[in-house]
Amino acid sequence: MPDQGGSRQNVTFPSNGREAHGYLARPPQGVGPGLVVVQEWWGLTSHVASMADRFAAEGFTVLAPDLFGGATTHDSAEAARLKRELPVERAVVDLRGAVGFLLGLDGVVGDAVGVVGFCMGGGFALLLAAAEGDRVAAVVPFYGLPPDPDFDYRGLTAHVLGHFGEHDRSIRMAVVDEAAIRIGEATDVRPEIHFYPAGHAFMNDENLLGSYDALQAGIAWQRTLSFLWGHLG
């Protein structure tokens, strides 16, 4: 079913000759490192906006691009359709536009941003980091990998912190380990990977899959903040 709350768009930015949309959250002090937050397959929902607000409260200038052009849902079948119909290349273009937009904003410090992605967005976060090279300093995929298991990670220079669930049926631990090896073979990056005694989407407190785990989410959140500040601060 559609999400009656709708997309949480509040900003537009240029993307390869066209206009893209997203949700922008600024830190209380007005200045801070840039951070791209990449949505799950539900769309740019209230949960994504709340995550952006949480990171902004910690001192980051956050942009969450709307990869579905305004569509949101709380229905798994509809979410799968939206994800299936999203061209990977167009999504990466919009995400690259988000990086450029952030780096051009007043109040964004540094010449590189961080990227955090959830589920589908975790895979796109890694694709973006590989595409943007040294304009992404840190990337944090939550229970998500690129759709192509043979993806060539050359170009990725960002530090990588990955969060995955031991009981995630959609991404087996062995697949995560294989991806970490591929990153190490293709780059000078040695990913930091953590597995949690949890299922998929354990960070999503809207609990649409019934797998939210407050304890593990809290641990992953603190690790993520320390990691981002360590490489962006």
Side-chain angles (χ1 to χ4, degrees), residues 55-77:
F55 279 116
E58 296 290 341
F60 300 93
T61 300
V62 187
L63 176 58
D66 188 344
L67 300 181
F68 288 164
T72 62
T73 185
H74 282 168
D75 179 76
S76 294

Side-chain angles (χ1 to χ4, degrees), residues 93-111:
V93 166
D94 285 350
L95 292 170
R96 298 188 74 174
V99 172
F101 178 73
L102 272 178
L103 290 175
L105 279 180
D106 291 339
V108 172
V109 299
D111 54 6

Side-chain angles (χ1 to χ4, degrees), residues 31 154 179:
V31 296
R154 283 180 295 179

